[in-house]
Amino acid sequence: MTAPGTHDDSTTGAEGIAEVAVTLPVPGRYHYLVPSSLADRARVGARVLVKFGKQKVTGVVVPNTSKTPVGVKLVPLSDVLDVEPALSPELVDLCLWVADYYEAPPGEVMRAALPAGSGVGAKRVWSLTEAGERATSGGQGTALPPKQMVLLARLANAPMPAAGMSEAVRRNFVALKERGLVQEVEQRDAVRVRLKRERIVQMTEGVDLAKVRGQLSRAKKQLEALEALVEAGGMMSAAALNRLTPNVVPQLVKAGYVTVFEREMSLGAAPVADGMSVSVPPELTPEQVVAVDAITAAMKAETRKPFLLHGVTGSGKTEVYLRVIAETLAAGKRALVLVPEISLTPQLAARFRARFGDLVAILHSGLTEQARLGEWSRLHRGEATIVVGARSAVFAPMTNIGVIVVDEEHDGSFKQDEGVRYHGRDVALVRAQRAGAVCVLGSATPSLETYAHAQRGNYVHLKLTVRPTARPMPSVEIIDLRTHLPDGDAFLSSPLRNAIGETITAGDQVILFLNRRGFSTFVLCRGCGHAFRCPHCSVSLTYHRHTDRLSCHYCGYHQRIPDVCPSCGGKDTIVRKGLGTEKVTEAVAAEFPKARVARLDRDVASGAKIEAVLSRVGRREIDILVGTQMVTKGHDFPGVTLVGVLCADTGLNIPDFRASERTFQLLAQVAGRAGRGDKPGRVLVQTYRPTTPAVTCAAAHDYESFFNAESATREELLYPPHGRLIAVRIDGPDASEVASLAERLAQIAEAVAKRPENAGQVEIRGPVAAPLEKLRNRTRWQIWLRSSDRAALRRVARALTLVEVPSRMRVGLDVDPISAL
Ligand code: ADP
Ligand code: ZN
């Protein structure tokens, strides 16, 4: 394609043609001429600056595939931004696959593959021309107003961004430009970040702590510091050591016990050995041995199937990954590990760092832009050979990958829910296959799709059925809330209340799980029934006591509770109902006044704060932790012997075909938090639906039965894993306009589905308003396309992307959707 609105201004000296995927939400790739001056750098994967219509945008050079247009004049590339291509040919290929499979613009996918801040959207800067340089270096006296002299001098140091300067300054620049001294240019910003440096204290080789104890018997603080160092494996950041025992390092150096050196700090993770011991690999269980052997053997084999590592919670899956990765490194290859929302599982990242130290790069959305670029460049340069990261790390800049691990492969956070709607796990499978790497999908509760693949023999099924240290799986009791009435605020039935009491009396810890934030989940007028709903989204507002506000969990809108009902004018008629983590935490604290109670959910914690709460639990400074999904993730707290689920069915009423699967997974995961130490664990599940398979199978630790029941239900409806789905998501500011567009698209879909080549293979459901009909003032509708014939499904979906719609409305295809909301 030729770029729209471009015209030819200089084709002289041009040589060759490059195909470019521009980082804009436009389909296709565009052709540009490559001036000979840029020819050696305009390679596949290099970022370039191109004219696109009236704007200049960045893009990435892709392999020439489509036919070069004839009879049209092409515009030259404006610039090549990379010396070495930012994306390897392998990654460019992967991005093009993603664009094709998920029906997304290729440039948008590449943008997802490049770290934020890596030069998407170039900035305009003022810089010196050659004449300007001569003028500032004093070669030629120019009479200029003092202000302009100052500006010139500043440019001699560094170019200045053109945006955001005052009108007066800008006028001076324009005057300088007229004299030919300065120019306005696009700045190229290469991927280069300077990493912070940190000081590391290291035990001197040969120092024997037993002897030192004698020598330092009078110097308590120095001895303390040395003991901490030994505990940490002989190395620690000076900052961490200073926090433990201030001001002893100089004395230790003087005495020759330690040496201090400086090195680049890895930005993504906690500094190495910040009080964390270097882990010694345990001896593997027989099941682990089988798994490690099978995976490492596959690495050496010619053809390789993906593995499903299906291990109950706490069965040592992580240890299997660590061993396989060690083998991978020994074979001179690299490893990519995807984990869900890494900021929630700092322990997991820490375990990788403890085993492999600086070879590990950590990538996740909680990092600052600079930190992410830092980790990205360490991988790009090959300094880090293992990456542990969330979804987008599947695009990590690595070559020579031996193994790709997807931990908790069933987790919904691997699917991006807007923009390019890719699934990190599925892209991982494709990347592994193309790179000739082994792919390992690990889970205690595999997604139905993955398990079905394993059953059909597409994946190798490895099982870990027991916990390594002979800790039994926790016993799970179901408590029927219809007979054991829960009390008002804490929502505890008597069996659960008793169990909490026993547990804290024994000095052990409790986790209470409730899938709802806030204090009261709905607020209404008991006079007229008026419910408080978000004016921008179709959901009710949740009352938060801490802020004393009603707030919307989707868009962040908040308001006070009025004194009189806005509908009937009634006074004192407004009541708060339903429960949330905030209310439960308060009530539990009141019921168990001696216990230290803390809450963990999105309202109290993000990023580092989550880590802080979790490490307090780890240090046993918290007796009862109340929280949402955040408490269910892979934490390993030996002190937790009781897990209480306050209401297992909150998630079952969501109008989504995955509601049951998600509930089962959550229950199994949260139950797995209990009894990871020496004492056996106990789990109490309160529910109004004590016979539903999601609840009973989770309680019985019976994945197989759950799979069979759920798979049968889905088969009738042709839902995955039995059929394929594409959701067409339509949204816009005007409700009736969106509804009629949805209607029109559905008719087009019906017509295309009837064409002979599709032979009625595609079923069209809808159009329907989305369950969450209004979100941030946009009305949302959906059409669901279902088929077991992927090619036909794509043809119908593609036909819809060709329909012209006004720019205020959006039509997005969600291939393999995981949510119906
Ligand atoms: P999973 O990832 O399956 O939930 P983990 O890998 O976290 O399980 O293992 C649970 C616990 O068991 C961890 O504390 C881990 O250190 C320990 N562990 C794993 N493998 C072994 C083993 N072979 N011997 C002893 N302990 C082990
Ligand atoms: Zn809202």
Side-chain angles (χ1 to χ4, degrees):
M1 273 185 247
T2 48
T6 48
H7 65 277
D8 175 13
D9 46 10
S10 92
T11 57
T12 42
E15 174 190 285
I17 286 167
E19 230 172 290
V20 173
V22 294
T23 48
L24 286 175
V26 291
R29 318 160 185 188
Y30 299 86
H31 291 91
Y32 291 88
L33 290 172
V34 183
S36 53
S37 59
L38 298 177
D40 59 330
R41 286 194 287 136
R43 282 178 283 155
V44 168
R47 290 169 306 156
V48 293
L49 194 64
V50 295
K51 258 192 206 155
F52 193 82
K54 288 217 174 73
Q55 31 175 348
K56 278 204 178 170
V57 298
T58 51
V60 174
V61 179
V62 297
N64 281 333
T65 46
S66 59
K67 280 204 197 90
T68 313
V70 275
V72 251
K73 276 197 168 178
L74 298 178
V75 212
L77 295 176
S78 306
D79 205 350
V80 177
L81 302 172
D82 292 319
V83 179
E84 282 298 312
L87 293 177
S88 65
E90 182 231 333
L91 271 177
V92 170
D93 242 32
L94 184 70
C95 290
L96 293 175
W97 179 86
V98 169
D100 182 63
Y101 185 85
Y102 291 100
E103 309 285 349
E108 289 279 279
V109 181
M110 303 211 184
R111 172 155 46 190
L114 288 167
S118 69
V120 177
K123 32 173 212 243
R124 293 193 76 79
V125 294
W126 288 105
S127 70
L128 294 177
T129 60
E130 270 179 40
E133 302 219 7
R134 279 198 302 276
T136 50
S137 60
Q140 169 195 349
T142 323
L144 285 173
K147 287 224 169 106
Q148 294 182 16
M149 289 296 280
V150 172
L151 289 175
L152 270 195
R154 278 181 66 182
L155 290 194
N157 287 331
M160 282 169 67
M165 52 178 49
S166 76
E167 188 50 32
V169 175
R170 205 188 64 83
R171 250 184 271 129
N172 277 319
F173 271 119
V174 172
L176 286 167
K177 185 180 172 188
E178 277 159 11
R179 286 171 181 264
L181 297 172
V182 304
Q183 58 192 347
E184 207 181 344
V185 291
E186 306 283 340
Q187 177 162 47
R188 3 171 137 186
D189 51 347
V191 179
R192 207 187 312 123
V193 241
R194 221 172 291 134
L195 297 178
K196 267 199 215 145
R197 301 185 72 81
E198 65 177 343
R199 288 169 68 230
I200 303 288
V201 183
Q202 186 173 26
M203 279 288 268
T204 311
E205 193 128 347
V207 170
D208 180 350
L209 199 61
K211 283 189 198 142
V212 173
R213 269 195 196 106
Q215 295 161 4
L216 286 181
S217 58
R218 294 280 187 83
K220 271 245 173 70
K221 279 172 71 187
Q222 294 185 41
L223 189 58
E224 237 175 71
L226 281 182
E227 307 239 355
L229 259 184
V230 170
E231 187 133 309
M235 232 198 254
M236 208 168 188
S237 76
L241 195 59
N242 263 326
R243 254 177 276 139
L244 288 175
T245 42
N247 310 324
V248 293
V249 175
Q251 292 158 5
L252 291 174
V253 173
K254 216 165 158 196
Y257 296 132
V258 302
T259 48
V260 176
F261 64 95
E262 228 183 59
R263 69 159 174 209
E264 269 187 3
M265 195 158 143
S266 165
L267 287 157
V272 167
D274 193 347
M276 176 180 74
S277 53
V278 171
S279 75
V280 182
E283 196 170 317
L284 296 181
T285 64
E287 285 180 332
Q288 285 175 322
V289 171
V290 170
V292 172
D293 285 352
I295 299 167
T296 44
M299 250 187 274
K300 292 167 194 131
E302 282 290 296
T303 52
R304 38 187 81 87
K305 279 184 190 174
F307 288 90
L308 165 59
L309 181 60
H310 185 187
V312 297
T313 51
S315 60
K317 294 183 289 295
T318 310
E319 188 57 42
V320 172
Y321 309 148
L322 292 169
R323 290 305 170 91
V324 167
I325 290 168
E327 296 279 342
T328 308
L329 298 190
K333 298 197 168 191
R334 298 174 186 184
L336 194 161
V337 183
L338 290 187
V339 295
E341 302 172 58
I342 204 171
S343 56
L344 298 183
T345 49
Q347 282 187 334
L348 186 73
R351 278 170 78 180
F352 280 84
R353 303 262 304 168
R355 193 70 60 86
F356 301 109
D358 273 351
L359 295 176
V360 182
I362 311 264
L363 288 175
H364 64 88
S365 57
L367 298 180
T368 63
E369 217 164 74
Q370 195 213 10
R372 201 162 337 146
L373 273 172
E375 293 296 80
W376 195 84
S377 349
R378 290 207 308 130
L379 289 164
H380 198 75
R381 291 195 300 262
E383 285 169 23
T385 50
I386 302 166
V387 60
V388 179
R391 182 177 61 223
S392 65
V394 75
F395 297 110
M398 299 178 99
T399 50
N400 199 15
I401 299 177
V403 66
I404 300 184
V405 172
V406 184
D407 187 32
E408 311 287 1
E409 66 81 29
H410 63 275
D411 196 281
S413 72
F414 286 123
K415 173 91 171 170
Q416 174 134 313
D417 56 11
E418 48 186 33
V420 182
R421 295 182 163 102
Y422 68 95
H423 198 301
R425 173 200 62 215
D426 296 341
V427 178
L429 285 161
V430 172
R431 184 166 188 186
Q433 187 197 29
R434 296 178 156 218
V438 173
C439 194
V440 181
L441 309 180
S443 176
T445 52
S447 64
L448 262 71
E449 284 89 335
T450 296
Y451 197 77
H453 275 302
Q455 273 195 333
R456 293 175 197 142
N458 301 333
Y459 299 170
V460 180
H461 194 172
L462 300 169
K463 289 181 193 166
L464 304 179
T465 57
V466 290
R467 291 181 165 179
T469 40
R471 286 167 253 179
M473 292 298 285
S475 74
V476 183
E477 295 154 52
I478 295 176
I479 297 169
D480 187 343
L481 286 175
R482 293 167 307 181
T483 50
H484 294 279
L485 298 181
D487 89 341
D489 277 359
F491 211 71
L492 301 176
S493 61
S494 56
L496 182 53
R497 178 176 297 104
N498 295 342
I500 295 173
E502 287 160 19
T503 307
I504 53 179
T505 307
D508 296 326
Q509 294 169 292
V510 180
I511 288 181
L512 293 179
F513 166 66
L514 174 67
N515 213 1
R516 261 193 211 147
R517 290 186 285 143
F519 198 83
S520 306
T521 43
F522 53 97
V523 175
L524 49 82
C525 168
R526 67 180 142 75
C528 70
H530 173 81
F532 288 82
R533 299 173 67 82
C534 175
H536 312 294
C537 310
S538 46
V539 294
S540 37
L541 296 171
T542 300
Y543 176 68
H544 289 253
R545 170 103 149 221
H546 171 67
T547 53
D548 194 26
R549 292 274 192 290
L550 290 168
S551 64
C552 169
H553 286 179
Y554 287 91
C555 73
Y557 166 86
H558 51 83
Q559 67 170 71
R560 280 180 183 284
I561 299 185
D563 296 330
V564 292
C565 170
S567 177
C568 70
K571 275 191 179 165
D572 299 325
T573 53
I574 294 169
V575 292
R576 303 162 195 168
K577 287 207 184 292
L579 80 164
T581 43
E582 192 181 6
K583 186 196 263 179
V584 168
T585 309
E586 261 184 34
V588 167
E591 285 203 34
F592 300 96
K594 286 203 185 118
R596 295 160 296 178
V597 183
R599 171 159 67 101
L600 186 65
D601 58 33
R602 249 188 296 155
D603 295 324
V604 286
S606 62
K609 273 199 192 153
I610 297 174
E611 217 167 318
V613 174
L614 292 175
S615 53
R616 277 169 60 211
V617 179
R619 290 196 303 267
R620 297 195 175 221
E621 291 166 17
I622 289 169
D623 301 309
I624 305 176
L625 180 69
V626 181
T628 55
Q629 276 107 306
M630 280 192 186
V631 303
T632 70
K633 306 283 167 175
H635 318 300
D636 194 17
F637 299 123
V640 173
T641 57
L642 174 67
V643 166
V645 177
L646 292 182
C647 187
D649 21 294
T650 46
L652 285 172
N653 302 321
I654 296 171
D656 190 328
F657 74 93
R658 285 187 201 268
S660 179
E661 180 181 0
R662 266 197 217 110
T663 299
F664 172 79
Q665 287 163 347
L666 266 177
L667 293 178
Q669 293 291 338
V670 73
R673 298 313 116 217
R676 293 172 79 100
D678 303 327
K679 294 190 189 172
R682 218 180 142 191
V683 181
L684 299 191
V685 177
Q686 303 189 140
T687 178
Y688 288 108
R689 300 200 207 174
T691 58
T692 193
V695 175
T696 55
C697 297
H701 307 294
D702 185 358
Y703 178 85
E704 194 94 6
S705 298
F706 175 75
F707 175 87
N708 292 335
E710 182 64 14
S711 176
T713 315
R714 297 216 196 152
E715 188 162 15
E716 285 167 25
L717 301 165
L718 216 64
Y719 278 136
H722 302 286
R724 289 174 172 277
L725 289 177
I726 294 181
V728 185
R729 303 188 187 276
I730 304 136
D731 68 62
D734 183 87
S736 65
E737 207 178 33
V738 171
S740 63
L741 173 62
E743 192 61 52
R744 187 155 68 92
L745 290 174
Q747 280 163 10
I748 294 169
E750 292 282 359
V752 179
K754 284 203 189 91
R755 285 186 198 155
E757 73 268 26
N758 300 328
Q761 287 293 308
V762 182
E763 190 197 336
I764 288 130
R765 278 283 188 109
V768 289
L772 192 59
E773 187 175 349
K774 209 167 106 190
L775 184 63
R776 298 183 196 96
N777 283 328
R778 294 178 74 88
T779 298
R780 310 158 79 239
W781 279 62
Q782 309 174 334
I783 302 167
W784 289 77
L785 311 177
R786 281 192 286 192
S787 181
S788 45
D789 177 349
R790 199 171 93 78
L793 190 66
R794 275 170 70 114
R795 281 193 293 268
V796 174
R798 273 220 177 137
L800 301 183
T801 61
L802 302 177
V803 178
E804 292 256 346
V805 299
S807 63
R808 60 187 173 278
M809 290 199 272
R810 286 184 304 204
V811 177
L813 295 185
D814 189 350
V815 177
D816 305 332
I818 63 158
S819 159
L821 298 180

Coordinates of all heavy atoms in Angstrom, one line a residue, residues 71 75 164 174 188 219 260 262 325 447 481 530 553-554 671 694 741 808 816:
G71 N 3.3 2.4 -10.7 CA 2.6 3.6 -11.2 C 2.3 4.6 -10.1 O 1.7 5.6 -10.4
V75 N 7.2 7.8 -1.3 CA 7.9 8.8 -0.5 C 9.1 8.0 0.1 O 9.0 6.9 0.4 CB 7.1 9.3 0.6 CG1 7.4 10.7 0.9 CG2 5.6 9.1 0.3
G164 N 5.9 22.8 24.1 CA 5.8 23.3 25.5 C 6.7 24.5 25.8 O 6.9 24.8 27.0
V174 N 12.4 31.0 15.9 CA 12.0 31.3 14.5 C 12.9 32.3 13.9 O 13.4 32.1 12.8 CB 10.5 31.8 14.5 CG1 10.2 32.2 13.0 CG2 9.6 30.6 14.9
R188 N 15.8 11.4 17.1 CA 15.8 10.0 17.2 C 16.2 9.6 18.6 O 17.2 10.1 19.1 CB 16.9 9.4 16.3 CG 17.7 10.5 15.6 CD 18.8 10.0 14.8 NE 18.9 10.6 13.5 CZ 19.7 10.3 12.6 NH1 20.6 9.3 12.8 NH2 19.7 10.9 11.4
A219 N 33.0 -6.8 69.4 CA 32.3 -6.0 68.4 C 31.1 -6.6 67.9 O 31.0 -7.2 66.8 CB 33.3 -5.7 67.3
V260 N 34.2 -4.4 49.1 CA 33.1 -3.7 48.5 C 33.3 -3.4 47.0 O 34.4 -3.0 46.7 CB 32.8 -2.4 49.3 CG1 31.7 -1.6 48.6 CG2 32.5 -2.6 50.7
E262 N 31.3 -2.2 43.1 CA 30.1 -1.5 42.6 C 29.7 -2.2 41.3 O 30.5 -2.8 40.6 CB 30.5 -0.1 42.2 CG 29.5 0.9 42.7 CD 29.9 2.3 42.2 OE1 30.0 2.5 41.0 OE2 30.2 3.2 43.1
I325 N 15.3 -24.9 33.5 CA 16.0 -23.7 33.1 C 17.5 -23.9 33.3 O 18.3 -23.5 32.4 CB 15.5 -22.5 33.8 CG1 14.1 -22.2 33.3 CG2 16.4 -21.3 33.6 CD1 13.3 -21.2 34.1
S447 N -6.7 -24.6 32.1 CA -7.9 -24.1 31.4 C -8.4 -25.3 30.6 O -7.7 -26.3 30.3 CB -7.4 -23.1 30.4 OG -6.6 -23.6 29.4
L481 N -24.5 -22.3 53.7 CA -25.0 -21.1 54.3 C -26.5 -21.0 54.6 O -26.9 -20.2 55.4 CB -24.5 -19.9 53.5 CG -23.0 -19.5 53.5 CD1 -22.8 -18.4 52.5 CD2 -22.6 -19.1 54.9
H530 N -34.8 3.3 45.2 CA -33.7 3.9 44.3 C -32.4 3.3 44.6 O -31.9 3.2 45.8 CB -33.7 5.4 44.6 CG -32.6 6.1 43.9 ND1 -32.7 6.4 42.5 CD2 -31.4 6.5 44.3 CE1 -31.5 7.0 42.2 NE2 -30.7 7.1 43.2
H553 N -16.2 0.8 40.4 CA -15.0 0.0 40.3 C -14.5 -0.1 38.8 O -13.5 -0.6 38.6 CB -15.2 -1.4 40.8 CG -15.3 -1.4 42.3 ND1 -15.5 -2.6 43.0 CD2 -15.1 -0.4 43.2 CE1 -15.5 -2.3 44.3 NE2 -15.2 -1.0 44.5
Y554 N -15.3 0.5 37.9 CA -14.9 0.4 36.5 C -14.2 1.7 36.0 O -13.3 1.7 35.3 CB -16.0 0.0 35.6 CG -16.4 -1.4 35.8 CD1 -17.3 -1.9 36.7 CD2 -15.7 -2.4 35.0 CE1 -17.6 -3.2 36.9 CE2 -16.0 -3.8 35.2 CZ -16.9 -4.1 36.1 OH -17.2 -5.5 36.3
A671 N -7.6 -22.5 48.2 CA -7.5 -23.7 49.1 C -6.0 -24.1 49.2 O -5.5 -24.5 50.3 CB -8.3 -24.8 48.7
A694 N -18.5 -26.7 40.5 CA -17.3 -25.8 40.7 C -16.9 -25.9 42.2 O -15.7 -25.8 42.5 CB -17.6 -24.4 40.3
L741 N -25.9 0.0 14.5 CA -24.7 -0.5 13.8 C -24.5 -2.0 14.1 O -24.2 -2.8 13.2 CB -23.4 0.3 14.3 CG -22.1 -0.3 13.8 CD1 -22.0 -0.2 12.3 CD2 -20.9 0.5 14.5
R808 N -16.3 7.9 15.6 CA -16.6 7.9 17.0 C -17.0 6.5 17.5 O -17.2 6.3 18.7 CB -17.7 8.9 17.3 CG -19.0 8.6 16.5 CD -20.0 9.8 16.7 NE -21.2 9.5 15.8 CZ -21.2 9.8 14.5 NH1 -20.2 10.4 14.0 NH2 -22.3 9.6 13.8
D816 N -10.8 -15.7 20.2 CA -10.7 -16.5 21.4 C -11.0 -15.7 22.7 O -10.1 -15.6 23.6 CB -9.3 -17.2 21.6 CG -8.9 -18.0 20.3 OD1 -9.8 -18.5 19.7 OD2 -7.7 -18.1 20.1

